[in-house]
mmCIF file of all heavy atoms in Angstrom:
data_model
loop_
_atom_site.group_PDB
_atom_site.id
_atom_site.type_symbol
_atom_site.label_atom_id
_atom_site.label_comp_id
_atom_site.label_asym_id
_atom_site.label_seq_id
_atom_site.Cartn_x
_atom_site.Cartn_y
_atom_site.Cartn_z
ATOM 1 N N ALA A 177 29.013 3.686 2.326
ATOM 2 C CA ALA A 177 28.947 4.302 3.736
ATOM 3 C C ALA A 177 28.497 5.677 3.723
ATOM 4 O O ALA A 177 27.854 6.180 4.682
ATOM 5 C CB ALA A 177 30.350 4.071 4.413
ATOM 6 N N GLY A 178 28.953 6.469 2.758
ATOM 7 C CA GLY A 178 28.599 7.893 2.695
ATOM 8 C C GLY A 178 27.090 8.040 2.485
ATOM 9 O O GLY A 178 26.493 8.896 3.079
ATOM 10 N N ILE A 179 26.441 7.091 1.748
ATOM 11 C CA ILE A 179 25.087 7.164 1.637
ATOM 12 C C ILE A 179 24.345 6.982 2.956
ATOM 13 O O ILE A 179 23.294 7.544 3.220
ATOM 14 C CB ILE A 179 24.675 6.143 0.566
ATOM 15 C CG1 ILE A 179 25.047 6.686 -0.907
ATOM 16 C CG2 ILE A 179 23.065 5.885 0.521
ATOM 17 C CD1 ILE A 179 24.989 5.624 -2.098
ATOM 18 N N GLY A 180 24.967 6.104 3.837
ATOM 19 C CA GLY A 180 24.443 5.956 5.107
ATOM 20 C C GLY A 180 24.388 7.315 5.849
ATOM 21 O O GLY A 180 23.357 7.610 6.407
ATOM 22 N N GLY A 181 25.542 7.905 5.840
ATOM 23 C CA GLY A 181 25.631 9.258 6.551
ATOM 24 C C GLY A 181 24.652 10.306 5.921
ATOM 25 O O GLY A 181 24.078 10.996 6.635
ATOM 26 N N PHE A 182 24.660 10.260 4.669
ATOM 27 C CA PHE A 182 23.851 11.175 3.877
ATOM 28 C C PHE A 182 22.276 10.817 4.363
ATOM 29 O O PHE A 182 21.562 11.887 4.556
ATOM 30 C CB PHE A 182 23.946 10.954 2.311
ATOM 31 C CG PHE A 182 22.958 11.752 1.520
ATOM 32 C CD1 PHE A 182 23.430 12.986 1.012
ATOM 33 C CD2 PHE A 182 21.795 11.304 1.130
ATOM 34 C CE1 PHE A 182 22.579 13.798 0.209
ATOM 35 C CE2 PHE A 182 20.878 12.057 0.327
ATOM 36 C CZ PHE A 182 21.386 13.248 -0.070
ATOM 37 N N THR A 183 21.948 9.669 4.483
ATOM 38 C CA THR A 183 20.589 9.267 4.798
ATOM 39 C C THR A 183 20.180 9.850 6.141
ATOM 40 O O THR A 183 19.010 10.443 6.345
ATOM 41 C CB THR A 183 20.373 7.732 4.790
ATOM 42 O OG1 THR A 183 20.690 7.253 3.510
ATOM 43 C CG2 THR A 183 18.956 7.369 5.268
ATOM 44 N N VAL A 184 21.133 9.660 7.061
ATOM 45 C CA VAL A 184 20.759 10.109 8.490
ATOM 46 C C VAL A 184 20.572 11.666 8.555
ATOM 47 O O VAL A 184 19.665 12.183 9.128
ATOM 48 C CB VAL A 184 21.897 9.649 9.413
ATOM 49 C CG1 VAL A 184 21.788 10.326 10.774
ATOM 50 C CG2 VAL A 184 21.963 8.171 9.615
ATOM 51 N N ILE A 185 21.559 12.394 7.760
ATOM 52 C CA ILE A 185 21.420 13.785 7.821
ATOM 53 C C ILE A 185 20.295 14.347 7.057
ATOM 54 O O ILE A 185 19.556 15.261 7.454
ATOM 55 C CB ILE A 185 22.732 14.470 7.385
ATOM 56 C CG1 ILE A 185 23.839 13.984 8.439
ATOM 57 C CG2 ILE A 185 22.654 16.007 7.385
ATOM 58 C CD1 ILE A 185 25.259 14.305 7.985
ATOM 59 N N ALA A 186 20.026 13.826 5.855
ATOM 60 C CA ALA A 186 18.994 14.303 5.015
ATOM 61 C C ALA A 186 17.588 14.028 5.749
ATOM 62 O O ALA A 186 16.695 14.939 5.697
ATOM 63 C CB ALA A 186 19.023 13.607 3.683
ATOM 64 N N ALA A 187 17.506 12.966 6.508
ATOM 65 C CA ALA A 187 16.280 12.687 7.365
ATOM 66 C C ALA A 187 16.094 13.796 8.201
ATOM 67 O O ALA A 187 14.834 14.258 8.428
ATOM 68 C CB ALA A 187 16.453 11.311 7.977
ATOM 69 N N MET A 188 17.151 14.212 8.977
ATOM 70 C CA MET A 188 17.010 15.395 9.955
ATOM 71 C C MET A 188 16.533 16.677 9.272
ATOM 72 O O MET A 188 15.630 17.268 9.845
ATOM 73 C CB MET A 188 18.347 15.637 10.578
ATOM 74 C CG MET A 188 18.811 14.455 11.459
ATOM 75 S SD MET A 188 20.547 14.692 12.029
ATOM 76 C CE MET A 188 20.871 13.429 13.082
ATOM 77 N N GLU A 189 17.127 16.950 8.027
ATOM 78 C CA GLU A 189 16.838 18.137 7.497
ATOM 79 C C GLU A 189 15.515 18.244 6.809
ATOM 80 O O GLU A 189 14.852 19.293 6.654
ATOM 81 C CB GLU A 189 17.910 18.401 6.395
ATOM 82 C CG GLU A 189 19.248 18.713 6.887
ATOM 83 C CD GLU A 189 20.265 19.260 5.865
ATOM 84 O OE1 GLU A 189 19.823 19.631 4.776
ATOM 85 O OE2 GLU A 189 21.486 19.344 6.186
ATOM 86 N N LEU A 190 15.013 17.082 6.187
ATOM 87 C CA LEU A 190 13.814 17.057 5.520
ATOM 88 C C LEU A 190 12.502 16.822 6.270
ATOM 89 O O LEU A 190 11.365 16.792 5.671
ATOM 90 C CB LEU A 190 13.918 16.184 4.269
ATOM 91 C CG LEU A 190 15.097 16.483 3.192
ATOM 92 C CD1 LEU A 190 15.062 15.486 2.034
ATOM 93 C CD2 LEU A 190 14.986 17.963 2.835
#
Side-chain angles (χ1 to χ4, degrees):
I179 288 170
F182 177 91
T183 298
V184 170
I185 297 170
M188 293 169 176
E189 293 190 11
L190 299 185

